[in-house]
Amino acid sequence: MSQAKQAPAENKMGVMPVNQLLISMSVPMMISMLVQALYNVVDSMFVAQISENALTAVSLAFPAQNLMIAVATGTGVGINALLSKSLGEKNFNKANKTAVNALFLALCSYVVFALFGLTLSGTFFRVQTDIDEIITYGDQYLKICTLCSFGLFGQIANEKLLQSTGKTVYTMLTQGLGAILNIIFDPILIFGLFGFPKMGVAGAAAATVLGQIIALFVGMYLNIRKNQEIKLEFKGLRPDGKIIAGIYAVGIPSIIMASISSVMTFGMNKILIAFTSTATAVFGVYFKLQSFVFMPVFGLNNGMVPIIAYNFGARRPNRMIQTVKLSILYAMAIMLIGFVIFQSIPTLLLQIFNASDQMLEIGVPALRLISFSFLLAGYNIICSSLFQSLGHGMLSLWVSVLRQLVVLLPLAFILAKINGLHTVWYAFPVAEVISLIVSTIFLRHVYKKEILPLK
C-alpha cells in the first residue's frame, strides 16, 4: 500500500477553525516552555546558594549553551517549515525523508559541540575573566553540557517532528518531563542528597543533561509509535542532499539569527564584567527571569509556524492571515503582563537568587529599564517567525543583526563608556524600537510577495 493511501486525507491544520487550532497547538507548547522557564530559574537559584561566583560562571556559560540551542532550534525551524509544507502538499515521501534527515543532522551537531567542549571549554572562560574560581566552575559546567549534548539535540529534533505534524501535546510531554526531571535532579546532585555525591556546579550541569537524555528517548518513542503521519526508517539511511539543503535554506538564517544572541550576550558580559562580576550575574539572572515572559511567546510561535507553513503549501491565504493577526494579539498581551510584573516587583524577583545588596542596587533599575522592550518584542517575534515559515529566513536574520549587533551592543558599549553602568540597560528598548520599524517594512514586503498572490 502506498504511503499516500496510508496518510489521512487532511491534517487538522487545514480544516480546524484558526483560533481553536492556534490555541490547541500553542497552549501545550506554552505550558511545556513555562516548565522549562521554571527549570532555568530553579537551576540558577540552587547554583546561587553555592556562591555569587558560581552564579556568574553559569551566566558566562550561557552564550555557549545558547549557541547549542540556536543550532538545534534553528535546524528545527527548517525542519518544521519543510515537513509541514510537504504535508500540506500531500508529499508524504518527502515528509518522511525530512524526518529521518532531521535526526541525522542532530547527530552531526552533537559531534561538533562535543569536540568544542573537550578542547576549548577552559579557553572560553579565560577569554571572559581572570577570576580562577569562576573559570573552574564554568569549565566543569560547560564540559558536561557539551559532551552530553546528544540529549539536547536529539530531544529538540524529535520535538520538531511532533510539532510539524500538529502533535504539540506530545511535545509538551517531552519538554515538561525533561524540565521536571532537571528540577528534581538539581538539588540532589548539587548538594549531594539521598546518598548521591555533592557535585556543586557540575551537579547542575549533570541534572540538565540527564533530563534532556530521558526526554530524547521519550520523544523518539512517541515519533515511532504515535506519530502516524511520518515513518522513521533508518535501514540503509543515506543523507539526502536536497532535503538537507531545503532544511538549511530556512534553518541556517535561523541558526545565525539565534547565534547572534550568543554574540550579543558574550559582548554584554565583557562590557558588564569590566564594572563588576555582580553586573554579569545580574544580566544572567535577567535572562533566567525573562524566560518566563518570552517562553510562552515562543510556545505560541512554535504553534503558529506549522500552521502558516501548512496553509502556505495548501494555498489558503485567509487562514494564514488570521493566524498571524491572532498570534500578534496574544504575543503582545503576554508581553504586557511580563512588563507589569518586572515594573512592580523587581526586588522580589532578584531575591529568588539570593541577591546581595549590590546585586539589588544594580538589578532593580536594570530589570525595570530592560522590560520596556517587552512592549514591542511580541510583535517582532511573530513577524520574524512568519518570515521563516514562508522561506524568508534572511529577513529575520537582517532584523536580528540590526537589533543586536548594529544597535544594541554598540549602544551599550557607548553608554557604558560615557555614562556608566546604570545607563547600559537603555540600549535594549532602543534596539527593540528599531527592530519594530524594520520588521514592519519586511512584513509588508512578504505579504505582497507571498500571501497576496495566493488570493
Side-chain angles (χ1 to χ4, degrees), residues 23-63:
I23 291 172
S24 70
M25 291 189 62
S26 299
V27 168
M29 296 301 305
M30 290 180 182
I31 294 171
S32 62
M33 288 194 164
L34 277 172
V35 174
Q36 292 229 6
L38 177 63
Y39 122 68
N40 284 332
V41 169
V42 171
D43 196 51
S44 292
M45 182 181 72
F46 285 125
V47 168
Q49 302 304 313
I50 300 172
S51 69
E52 191 173 291
N53 276 348
L55 180 60
T56 301
V58 173
S59 298
L60 292 178
F62 179 78

Side-chain angles (χ1 to χ4, degrees), residues 41-117:
V41 169
V42 171
D43 196 51
S44 292
M45 182 181 72
F46 285 125
V47 168
Q49 302 304 313
I50 300 172
S51 69
E52 191 173 291
N53 276 348
L55 180 60
T56 301
V58 173
S59 298
L60 292 178
F62 179 78
Q65 286 183 289
N66 191 59
L67 186 60
M68 288 194 291
I69 295 170
V71 171
T73 57
T75 304
V77 169
I79 294 165
N80 259 350
L82 185 60
L83 204 157
S84 296
K85 186 171 182 287
S86 299
L87 290 175
E89 295 169 340
K90 304 295 186 291
N91 190 341
F92 302 108
N93 182 52
K94 186 176 181 181
N96 289 336
K97 287 185 177 180
T98 301
V100 174
N101 278 271
L103 298 179
F104 169 75
L105 294 176
L107 177 62
C108 293
S109 299
Y110 160 66
V111 171
V112 171
F113 280 96
L115 290 173
F116 165 80

